[in-house]
């Protein structure tokens, strides 16, 4: 196709990802890296592709390549920190999350993941201050209008008020219901007349 350049390759790759065509997406992302190896976009797109396919070491390498080129990319810092944390590489994960918070101190996703890492490494040196920050950021998150990132997902293993956790769950449930209203209409979804209230669900299961 013409013009053939790295940004277009990344865009096409993302289209194939949404279609579930992973082999085609990978080819475009790899071509983007070949065409412009100095740009972060191709490396980070390839990192996300490898991560979704479970090729985690390749994903880590690509995230690091991308961050060498764009060291202030908050999404990449958080994604790499989260990936390393998921596989219990906690000491490697923490610096990336701290770098994200240096750039954007009120980023709730980065802070939540950092607290998860610190809890799993029993690092409680700043627990009191950290929990105050967590509560403040969560309350601000809950007060936002419109779609926001669905993290933190759970709070109950942090020493925070139960009501804060309940508010978070209610918000997430309402957003799940809202997102699925159109699907319910298209599928002519409805509960039977005899369905007990306690068995009714507010979303369409996969």
């Amino acid at each position: 196709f013409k013009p053939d350049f790295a940004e277009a390759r990344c865009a096409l790759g993302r289209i194939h990802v949404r279609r579930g065509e992973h082999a085609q997406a990978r080819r475009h992302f790899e071509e983007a890296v070949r065409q412009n190896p100095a740009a972060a976009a191709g490396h980070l797109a390839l990192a996300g592709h490898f991560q979704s396919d479970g090729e985690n070491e390749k994903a880590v390498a690509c995230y690091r390549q991308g961050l060498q080129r764009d060291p202030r990319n908050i999404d990449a810092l958080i994604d790499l920190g989260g990936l390393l944390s998921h596989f219990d590489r906690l000491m490697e994960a923490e610096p990336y999350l701290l770098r994200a918070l240096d750039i954007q101190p009120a980023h709730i996703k980065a802070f939540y993941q950092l607290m998860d890492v610190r809890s799993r490494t029993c690092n409680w040196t700043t627990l009191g201050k950290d929990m105050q920050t967590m509560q403040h950021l969560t309350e601000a998150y809950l007060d936002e209008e419109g779609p926001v990132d669905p993290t933190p997902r759970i709070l109950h293993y942090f020493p925070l008020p139960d009501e804060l956790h309940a508010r978070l769950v209610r918000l997430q449930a309402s957003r799940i219901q809202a997102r699925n209203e159109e699907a319910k209409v298209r599928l002519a979804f409805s509960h039977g007349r005899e369905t007990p209230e306690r068995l009714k669900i507010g979303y369409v299961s996969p």
Side-chain angles (χ1 to χ4, degrees), residues 1-12 28 31-33 35-36:
F1 57 94
K2 296 181 180 179
D4 189 353
F5 56 100
E7 291 82 357
R9 289 285 181 176
C10 286
L12 279 170
H28 284 300
E31 182 62 19
V33 171
Q35 290 183 353
N36 191 358

Side-chain angles (χ1 to χ4, degrees), residues 52-112:
S52 66
D53 275 5
E55 297 184 71
N56 297 305
E57 288 304 322
K58 290 182 179 179
V60 168
C62 286
Y63 275 125
R64 287 176 170 156
Q65 288 287 330
L67 285 167
Q68 284 180 6
R69 293 154 175 80
D70 184 8
R72 294 180 63 83
N73 188 312
I74 288 182
D75 289 337
L77 289 167
I78 295 171
D79 288 344
L80 178 53
L83 177 61
L84 292 167
S85 172
H86 183 72
F87 290 98
D88 296 323
R89 294 164 64 173
L90 304 175
M91 302 308 292
E92 293 179 70
E94 185 168 356
Y96 292 105
L97 300 172
L98 287 170
R99 281 169 57 187
L101 288 166
D102 282 342
I103 298 166
Q104 191 172 330
H107 199 298
I108 188 171
K109 184 175 182 180
F111 194 81
Y112 177 77

Side-chain angles (χ1 to χ4, degrees), residues 191-205:
H191 294 290
R193 291 183 179 180
E194 307 302 321
T195 303
E197 187 67 30
R198 62 188 174 83
L199 295 181
K200 290 183 179 181
I201 59 175
Y203 59 93
V204 179
S205 301

Side-chain angles (χ1 to χ4, degrees), residues 67-174:
L67 285 167
Q68 284 180 6
R69 293 154 175 80
D70 184 8
R72 294 180 63 83
N73 188 312
I74 288 182
D75 289 337
L77 289 167
I78 295 171
D79 288 344
L80 178 53
L83 177 61
L84 292 167
S85 172
H86 183 72
F87 290 98
D88 296 323
R89 294 164 64 173
L90 304 175
M91 302 308 292
E92 293 179 70
E94 185 168 356
Y96 292 105
L97 300 172
L98 287 170
R99 281 169 57 187
L101 288 166
D102 282 342
I103 298 166
Q104 191 172 330
H107 199 298
I108 188 171
K109 184 175 182 180
F111 194 81
Y112 177 77
Q113 290 196 7
L114 177 63
M115 291 303 95
D116 178 60
V117 167
R118 286 184 174 173
S119 70
R120 290 160 63 193
T121 55
C122 299
N123 181 356
W124 305 115
T125 53
T126 57
L127 177 62
K129 180 182 178 182
D130 288 344
M131 289 304 100
Q132 287 180 356
T133 303
M134 173 73 88
Q135 183 164 343
H136 171 74
L137 292 179
T138 304
E139 288 169 346
Y141 162 86
L142 290 167
D143 291 337
E144 286 185 30
E145 295 183 1
V148 293
D149 192 281
T151 51
R153 301 182 191 280
I154 55 174
L155 295 174
H156 64 263
Y157 59 80
F158 295 121
L160 293 170
D162 290 342
E163 176 54 28
L164 198 61
H165 177 66
R167 284 182 63 198
L168 179 66
V169 171
R170 287 194 293 268
L171 175 67
Q172 291 169 344
S174 70

